[in-house]
Amino acid sequence: MTAPSLEDPAAEVVLGCHVLGIEDQGDPVWGHVSRRDRDLGHVWLKAGPRGFDEVGAEDVVLTDLDGKRLLGSAPVPREYPLHTEVLRVREDVGSVVHCHPPHAIALAATGQPLYAFSNGAGPFAAGVPRYEAPVGLVETPELGADVARHLGDARALFLVGHGIVAVGASVATAVMTAVLLERACRLQLLAAAAGGVAPPLREPGSRYSHAEADGYLLRSWEYLVRRTNSGKDGKA
């Protein structure tokens, strides 16, 4: 199973933003989605500040890997290096999501690791690394490269005291990685409030190996796209 293909890469970024919007991943207007353009060697990137739910094609710009705007009129986000430096070193990555989801921020602030004890947390059974440098915005290539080093070959990274970075082969898989990470963090905080995650569940083994395939992510992506489109049509 492969990710849905859109002829217009800017439209793919817009759709990814809208899905994040219905999942309440905004803060309220900060955060961005990028999509590698392998034909051009550049990056389509959501400009800001715009809420995920209100992003339109006019809010997407094309930049090179140094952040120079090539197409579009919106301002390039200051944190473009979060995207370009990851894409520079991770050839397997086609899309990067950066957002500020509340439960992920809260869990990272506790210093606890994320435990994979649910289907939604399955993609993170190998762990989620942490970036703990006391910086505000990741707005220089040097900081972006440092973030990329901490991310390594993982699916996602906690930017402690800031937000998260999630990656995928496509916008669809990167967005779903961000969505599932937030849900996994929320479940862990609920478990903590009820006494904590039982020790046997802290080591999932291969229990959730089925959740590591992109096809698993894409089934949920297609559902959220249907929800997004129903909202646009004014349907329940």
Side-chain angles (χ1 to χ4, degrees):
M1 186 176 186
T2 58
S5 177
L6 296 176
E7 292 183 3
D8 182 353
E12 195 170 353
V13 171
V14 170
L15 181 57
C17 289
H18 289 174
V19 169
L20 289 169
I22 66 168
E23 285 293 299
D24 198 24
Q25 298 270 330
D27 185 27
V29 298
W30 314 118
H32 4 87
V33 176
S34 64
R35 194 261 206 195
R36 187 197 297 271
D37 193 314
R38 295 190 184 274
D39 294 330
L40 299 176
H42 301 316
V43 183
W44 297 91
L45 180 61
K46 176 251 188 192
R50 300 286 284 177
F52 283 135
D53 59 331
E54 63 178 350
V55 169
E58 68 277 8
D59 301 308
V60 179
V61 295
L62 180 70
T63 77
D64 64 16
L65 290 182
D66 296 319
K68 179 183 178 182
R69 187 176 60 197
L70 304 173
L71 285 176
S73 58
V76 176
R78 291 170 63 182
E79 288 192 296
Y80 77 84
L82 270 175
H83 300 261
T84 56
E85 297 306 316
V86 170
L87 293 171
R88 200 186 297 274
V89 299
R90 286 280 300 268
E91 186 61 29
D92 61 309
V93 170
S95 176
V96 179
V97 170
H98 169 53
C99 53
H100 307 151
H103 297 95
I105 293 172
L107 181 62
T110 70
Q112 302 173 42
L114 176 67
Y115 298 121
F117 61 92
S118 68
N119 281 312
F124 312 107
V128 177
R130 297 164 59 86
Y131 183 70
E132 297 184 321
V135 300
L137 298 179
V138 181
E139 57 182 338
T140 68
E142 293 76 17
L143 286 173
D146 198 29
V147 167
R149 282 192 293 273
H150 281 76
L151 174 66
D153 61 358
R155 292 175 178 264
L157 173 74
F158 288 125
L159 299 174
V160 179
H162 184 168
I164 62 114
V165 173
V167 301
S170 65
V171 169
T173 54
V175 166
M176 285 311 307
T177 297
V179 168
L180 292 182
L181 178 58
E182 173 65 354
R183 293 186 179 197
C185 292
R186 178 176 179 270
L187 282 176
Q188 185 160 328
L189 290 172
L190 287 172
V197 179
L201 289 175
R202 297 179 184 181
E203 299 293 338
S206 61
R207 179 183 299 188
Y208 303 116
S209 59
H210 62 281
E212 296 177 2
D214 282 356
Y216 181 81
L217 300 178
L218 292 172
R219 284 189 286 276
S220 293
W221 161 262
E222 290 163 359
Y223 163 66
L224 292 178
V225 169
R226 292 194 298 273
R227 279 187 58 201
T228 302
N229 290 337
S230 293
K232 290 178 185 176
D233 294 338
K235 299 175 183 176

